[in-house]
């Protein structure tokens, strides 16, 4: 059973870059897409983007100018960078594995999530 | 962008009764729909994919139906441990989008 674990600073200053890493264990990071999803307090889920093990990435247009995704298959982890953050980026950030089905991807395994607060 | 709309926002059901949750897509998505359960303080958990296929370990009281634009998640006999938020997600495009969620409570 694959397991995912997010890590990174819980507090980021406005205008700085949020950086998170998701470590994959119990399964291979290769041949899958890997997603980031966030959830502001009391609100719904918002897909940020995903990255394939080859490095190919797709992004939610809402974040495209600020997001960077990267992957290190040798270390079995992938990372999210979100620049120029504001208080609106305060949320729980989840990493998840994409599972291919009928031309699209649903999220079959999730990390526990990590709270990131943007504040000075 | 495909917009997913869930109803109702909150559903109160007595233990042992049926709970019916709805999800509507702004355009046809075939059967590319997943349902997730999220309990307080936890990550979402995949319940169903392909509109009606149960994920590993999901109890048989959870079932899904529908296609194209209208979908339903049914909990046949609500248990106390089913209290949670339920989200639908379309994955017909590579950019999956979620509904806003339905909160299921025990009456």
């Amino acid at each position: 059973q694959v397991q995912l674990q997010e890590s990174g600073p819980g507090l980021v200053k406005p205008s700085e870059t949020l950086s998170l890493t998701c470590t994959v264990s119990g399964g291979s990071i290769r041949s899958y897409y890997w997603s980031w999803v966030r959830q502001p307090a009391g609100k719904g889920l918002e897909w940020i983007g995903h990255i394939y093990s080859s490095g190919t990435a797709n992004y939610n247009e809402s974040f495209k100018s600020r997001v960077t995704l990267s992957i290190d298959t040798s270390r079995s982890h992938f990372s999210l960078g979100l620049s120029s953050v504001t208080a609106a980026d305060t949320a729980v950030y989840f990493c998840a594995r994409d599972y291919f089905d009928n031309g699209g991807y649903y999220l079959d395994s999730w990390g526990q999530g990590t709270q990131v607060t943007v504040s000075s | 962008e495909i917009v997913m709309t869930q109803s109702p926002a909150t559903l109160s059901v007595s233990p042992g009764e049926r709970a019916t949750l709805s999800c509507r897509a702004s355009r046809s998505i075939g059967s590319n729909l997943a349902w997730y359960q999220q309990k307080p303080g936890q990550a979402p958990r995949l319940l169903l994919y392909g509109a009606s296929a149960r994920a590993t370990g999901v109890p048989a009281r959870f079932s899904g139906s529908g296609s194209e634009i209208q979908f339903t998640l049914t909990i046949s006999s609500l248990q106390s441990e089913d209290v949670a938020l339920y989200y639908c997600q379309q994955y017909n495009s590579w950019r999956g989008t979620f509904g806003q969620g339905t909160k299921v409570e025990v009456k």
Side-chain angles (χ1 to χ4, degrees), chain A residues 20-37:
Chain A
L20 296 175
T21 295
C22 182
T23 301
V24 178
S25 60
S28 177
I29 196 171
R30 298 182 187 277
S31 304
Y32 286 97
Y33 271 96
W34 302 88
S35 278
W36 288 96
V37 176

Side-chain angles (χ1 to χ4, degrees), chain B residues 40-80:
Chain B
Q42 295 185 16
R45 168 200 179 194
L46 176 68
L47 288 180
L48 302 171
Y49 60 92
S52 61
R54 276 189 296 276
T56 302
V58 175
R61 64 180 181 274
F62 291 92
S63 63
S65 63
S67 64
E68 309 301 338
I69 63 170
Q70 189 66 49
F71 301 87
T72 300
L73 170 66
T74 301
I75 309 172
S76 60
S77 176
L78 190 77
Q79 308 297 305
S80 58

